[in-house]
Amino acid sequence: MSPDQRERASDFARLHTTTEPLILPNAWDVSSARAVERAGATAIATTSAAHAWGLGLDDGGDLDLELVIASLARIVASVDLPVSADIEAGYADGHDELARNIAAILDTGIVGVNLEDTDARALRTRADQAARIETVRRAADEQGVELFINARIDTYFTDGIAETQRPAETLERAKSYVDAGASGVFVPGLLDPPILSELASALQVPVNAMLMPGAPSIEELSEAGVSRISVGPALHGVASKAIEAAAVGLLSGGTYPA
């Protein structure tokens, strides 16, 4: 671990402890990461969905690890901010492979990861995912990296769990993952302030929420105890629509107001 990576890791962890939530407009390549940096962000977080779409692939495991590592290395080298990577489920089934992948990802200069608890869109057991988080933590410790592990909990993104059971299952998974070494928890799809508040109160780690249509305001999420707010692939959608609007103007009337 280089001194620069050590400093960035420390800075990234500290950003989760301020009075205001850490806002992360997610990027997917060098161009978007630099745009987010110019906008005034204090850290960069990648989105695997937008990364995959930019390469003509589907989200959810279609990304190749070598492509991911090459892209992350370019992003880290292009900005002066800490970078956290969305690594889906770690691009590995077994623990040995997962540990090797984490070591390779850390070699790019990454200081944080999102690790989801699904396998082919089905939830892993709590014990299985906790063991995988322990593997990631061990691999990071062996590299000397104070890695921020954001444990993604997909209880609100998968079928098979009754709506009334989601809060309790989410909390149990969160506790298990934190005990295994997670630095924070991330529950995409959960935007109910009372449930978020209960989750934040029960844990001693930062809680991440992802903005979606109809989401509470950032102020409301902050009041509910949310420490980190991201947007997933939303900026990719904004960029794509802007490009399409500009192209339509050029192709239909030879103008370029967009």
Side-chain angles (χ1 to χ4, degrees):
M1 181 183 190
S2 69
D4 183 57
Q5 189 177 13
R6 183 178 296 110
E7 183 178 352
R8 290 189 184 193
S10 179
D11 288 344
F12 188 61
R14 187 167 55 252
L15 288 170
H16 292 79
T17 63
T18 61
T19 55
E20 299 295 326
L22 171 61
I23 309 297
L24 294 169
N26 301 79
W28 59 95
D29 59 10
V30 168
S31 176
S32 57
R34 285 176 169 169
V36 169
E37 182 178 42
R38 289 194 303 270
T42 54
I44 302 291
T46 69
T47 159
S48 64
H51 190 181
W53 297 337
L55 294 170
L57 303 172
D58 291 330
D59 181 30
D62 278 3
L63 279 172
D64 178 84
L65 178 65
E66 291 186 4
L67 288 174
V68 171
I69 288 174
S71 179
L72 292 177
R74 287 194 292 268
I75 290 172
V76 170
S78 73
V79 296
D80 293 323
L81 300 175
V83 180
S84 180
D86 178 354
I87 61 168
E88 302 185 65
Y91 310 104
D93 291 322
H95 288 265
D96 289 345
E97 184 183 12
L98 178 59
R100 288 193 298 271
N101 290 356
I102 293 299
I105 288 167
L106 291 176
D107 282 344
T108 68
I110 289 294
V111 297
V113 295
N114 275 16
L115 187 74
E116 60 192 48
D117 61 356
T118 52
D119 175 21
R121 293 303 182 191
L123 281 169
R124 297 179 185 271
T125 66
R126 293 180 207 161
D128 182 18
Q129 184 64 9
R132 291 172 68 82
I133 290 171
E134 288 177 349
T135 294
V136 174
R137 176 57 67 201
R138 248 189 331 269
D141 289 346
E142 289 173 0
Q143 294 283 100
V145 180
E146 185 188 347
L147 182 68
F148 193 101
I149 303 173
N150 201 31
R152 173 170 154 170
I153 304 172
D154 274 352
T155 44
Y156 283 77
F157 259 21
T158 52
D159 298 325
I161 303 177
E163 192 65 33
T164 56
Q165 296 301 313
R166 292 186 195 276
E169 178 64 21
T170 299
L171 180 58
E172 288 305 311
R173 285 178 177 267
K175 289 179 177 177
S176 178
Y177 300 167
V178 170
D179 288 344
S183 313
V185 296
F186 172 37
V187 192
L190 173 56
L191 288 167
D192 187 314
I195 298 176
L196 284 168
S197 180
E198 180 181 350
L199 186 65
S201 297
L203 304 173
Q204 300 300 312
V205 299
V207 172
N208 183 175
M210 184 174 74
L211 296 183
M212 299 171 68
S217 68
I218 289 177
E219 181 180 1
E220 290 171 314
L221 291 172
S222 178
E223 290 174 351
V226 172
S227 302
R228 170 170 165 167
I229 297 173
S230 53
V231 297
L235 292 188
H236 181 274
V238 171
S240 295
K241 288 178 181 178
I243 292 169
E244 182 179 354
V248 167
L250 288 168
L251 295 170
S252 63
T255 61
Y256 41 93

